[in-house]
Amino acid sequence: LNLAQVRSLTVFGNLNHMPFHSFNYGIIQVLDLEDWKGLKERHMTEICQMLLLKYLSIRRTEISKIPSKIQKLEYLETLDIRETYVRDLPKSIVQLKRIISILGGNKNTRKGLRLPQEKSKKPIKNPSPQGKTKEPAKKGFLSQEKGKGAMKALRVLSGIEIVEESSEVAAGLHQLTGLRKLAIYKLNITKGGDTFKQLQSSIEYLGSCGLQTLAINDENSEFINSLGDMPAPPRYLVALELSGKLEKLPKWITSITTLNKLTISVTVLRTETLEILHILPSLFSLTFAFSLSAAKQDQDIIKDILENNKLDSDGEIVIPAEGFKSLKLLRFFAPLVPKLSFLDKNAMPALEIIEMRFKDFEGLFGIEILENLREVHLKVSDGAEAITKFLVNDLKVNTEKPKVFVDGIVTA
């Protein structure tokens, strides 16, 4: 097979062998190897010789390491290594001055991609005139020593991990002033610590530079609960996702008139939350979520939180009578979906689709009065109790409009 004139290659299905030697390394620009199980580490060395490569996807392959020679791909614009075994990027990645998108990690398993960072240096021993030990200045993983303008073209950085030892990484995000999307899949840092403060500062700064999409999965560091204290909100946001044990909405959220897509933890599902959000003029999609694959202990905690939220709302979550003028998609993905009620036809007047995934369900009422609602999709997890199956089956049988679709066994 002669591939000498090939400039773009996409692999589908099972392929036992790839004749890399047949490529003209000087002309190939697009290499899409997603799902190819035959890709080996040695192939990555050959790929790094394709000097004009602009797009490289090895998503869902078995690769575990990106060679440092990737810096040779000076024209590379997109690097997609999602759902691979790659956990660390080489330091040479910062030499890719034309890189626009770096996509890594695994959103389903919440595994993140670690960015390169400088080794921490010890504090200077000589005390300052004020009698305090001097700390070295934070350089971050994009220090100017690596070359001015490094990664200034970067617009999308998705699927990264930031842990307590990543203060240089958190500080280095300041330098990505062209960033339009930042997605942190794993966050485990100490509240009030250096990394915590550096990340706060970076997100606030990037928000003033034009950041449009921000996604943070915060399992236990309470970082997402500190976002409301930022003096300057990220005013250009179009999409926001805050996953974890969120206690309350950021104070500035109602000032983001451009917000189109909002995904927040089901832990803030309260009537009060909906009353706050209903004034957002551009909101098209609203999702309340918590991982259904989370540990049973976490699921039990979420159920307790939702029970308390329900009590604060007189036993049910009520959709405000007016507002949500642009909302067309409403979704709930959680171990428990409490009783939800629409009491007025002007509540979410543009709503077209409701999607729900759950194990326990307490009912959905008033949907027949919504004039534009076309479909309700319910997915019931294994192990649902008899009352849940009964309520789902009753909703399906007794609702003519909108159409109710059920995925899962619902026979009580």
Side-chain angles (χ1 to χ4, degrees), residues 124-345:
I124 299 172
K125 296 297 182 181
N126 296 330
S128 65
Q130 290 77 22
K132 296 181 180 180
T133 302
K134 292 181 179 179
E135 296 286 346
K138 296 291 182 183
K139 290 184 177 181
F141 73 101
L142 293 173
S143 69
Q144 291 301 312
E145 292 177 3
K146 295 183 183 298
K148 293 183 179 181
M151 298 180 78
K152 291 297 184 182
L154 193 64
R155 296 294 179 266
V156 177
L157 180 58
S158 180
I160 66 171
E161 170 184 338
I162 296 181
V163 293
E164 188 58 36
E165 297 78 19
S166 305
S167 61
E168 290 86 355
V169 170
L173 294 175
H174 270 92
Q175 300 177 50
L176 302 178
T177 53
L179 210 60
R180 294 298 175 262
K181 178 178 180 178
L182 174 64
I184 303 172
Y185 284 179
K186 185 173 182 179
L187 182 61
N188 192 355
I189 55 182
T190 303
K191 183 178 181 180
D194 192 30
T195 305
F196 195 100
K197 294 175 182 177
Q198 292 285 359
L199 186 57
Q200 271 186 325
S201 176
S202 290
I203 289 177
E204 183 178 349
Y205 181 65
L206 292 175
S208 69
C209 294
L211 189 69
Q212 296 177 355
T213 299
L214 175 64
I216 302 176
N217 176 56
D218 182 6
E219 296 177 354
N220 51 25
S221 69
E222 299 185 31
F223 182 81
I224 54 176
N225 290 310
S226 73
L227 292 176
D229 298 327
M230 291 194 305
R235 53 185 173 175
Y236 303 108
L237 280 186
V238 174
L240 175 65
E241 179 176 341
L242 300 177
S243 304
K245 296 170 185 175
L246 187 65
E247 296 174 0
K248 58 184 178 179
L249 295 174
K251 300 173 184 177
W252 39 259
I253 197 165
T254 54
S255 67
I256 311 298
T257 57
T258 55
L259 197 62
N260 179 267
K261 181 181 179 181
L262 177 62
T263 300
I264 49 179
S265 174
V266 74
T267 52
V268 292
L269 178 53
R270 295 185 287 268
T271 299
E272 176 190 19
T273 299
L274 294 167
E275 290 173 345
I276 293 172
L277 296 175
H278 85 286
I279 66 172
L280 291 174
S282 304
L283 194 62
F284 175 90
S285 169
L286 174 61
T287 303
F288 292 90
F290 196 88
S291 175
L292 276 73
S293 61
K296 186 179 185 302
Q297 181 180 359
D298 284 337
Q299 291 195 22
D300 290 341
I301 292 173
I302 296 305
K303 287 182 179 180
D304 289 341
I305 292 173
L306 288 172
E307 288 293 341
N308 290 331
N309 289 352
K310 190 174 63 173
L311 292 175
D312 292 341
S313 302
D314 296 325
E316 63 180 337
I317 309 300
V318 178
I319 310 299
E322 295 182 356
F324 293 108
K325 300 296 185 182
S326 302
L327 193 72
K328 293 190 176 183
L329 176 61
L330 178 63
R331 306 192 298 176
F332 302 88
F333 304 149
L336 166 67
V337 175
K339 180 181 177 182
L340 296 167
S341 297
F342 293 85
L343 302 181
D344 191 290
K345 69 176 183 178

